[in-house]
Amino acid sequence: MDILENIMTNKYPFSLQELPYSYDSLSPVIGEETLHFHHDKHMNTYVQNLNNALEPHTDFHDLTLENLLTKLDCLPESAKTAVRNNGGGVYNHQLYFSTLTNPNNKTKPSESLQSAIDRDFGGTDEMLTQLKKAALSRFGSGWAYVVTDKDGVLSICSTPNQDVPDLTHFVPLMTVDVWEHAYYLDYQNRRPDYFDAFTTILNWDVINKNYESR
Ligand code: MN3
């Protein structure tokens, strides 16, 4: 089951999805230790806290993660912040981990995605430069994304904390986690170096699918 199917079909109680590759696959760009902490500890905490927040609210047990995140205003006040933070945390990490792959697995944008990238940014390098700018200018913790609207027009956006882009209008294609836990063991404070290395492990096969699913 791919990332978007997950987000559109899974319901309470949510479970931690396994990584689609082994823990040493992203090395040396992202080390094994980082992946264990990041996936098994950090991401798992978001899953468990999301379930804890929803547990007393049985009316919301039939909603998918996407439904929950687009209907935050309908949630009871006592659950709203926890679902926003932890549901967003689950969504963002599923997207992030699903679009990475071994550095030797060479993939590239599909013809239709490449022509959108050329039209909207002037090329892949320019797109990644703009994504880097968004990732580096995010103060503190957060995320930067490439998103598409329903017409296939691409843009860059960024969110603080575990917020997600406006999912009613945009489909996020890929994202970079700029919380320090994503890169501190491998790069310490060098967020720019982490970003540059991150661009070499993108799984364009998955990003292409995300683009087609808009
Ligand atoms: Mn993270």
Side-chain angles (χ1 to χ4, degrees), residues 38 93 143 162 177 179 181:
H38 199 179
H93 286 94
W143 299 79
Q162 292 295 353
D177 188 343
W179 285 58
H181 68 227

Side-chain angles (χ1 to χ4, degrees), residues 77-96:
E77 215 46 52
S78 59
K80 206 177 281 185
T81 304
V83 171
R84 176 178 175 170
N85 289 338
N86 294 290
V90 174
Y91 181 100
N92 283 327
H93 286 94
Q94 282 195 18
L95 178 64
Y96 173 73

Side-chain angles (χ1 to χ4, degrees), residues 19 23-24 31-42:
L19 291 174
Y23 285 88
D24 58 2
E32 208 171 331
E33 199 184 3
T34 295
L35 266 190
H36 272 293
F37 274 110
H38 199 179
H39 176 269
D40 307 353
K41 307 288 183 194
H42 289 282

Side-chain angles (χ1 to χ4, degrees), residues 93-133:
H93 286 94
Q94 282 195 18
L95 178 64
Y96 173 73
F97 287 128
S98 72
T99 56
L100 302 180
T101 188
N102 183 278
N104 297 321
N105 182 19
K106 298 296 176 201
T107 61
K108 58 181 183 15
S110 63
E111 223 168 278
S112 65
L113 178 56
Q114 188 65 60
S115 61
I117 290 171
D118 295 345
R119 180 195 62 209
D120 298 333
F121 299 103
T124 309
D125 289 350
E126 287 77 3
M127 180 183 81
L128 294 173
T129 300
Q130 287 189 34
L131 183 67
K132 183 176 184 178
K133 208 171 151 197

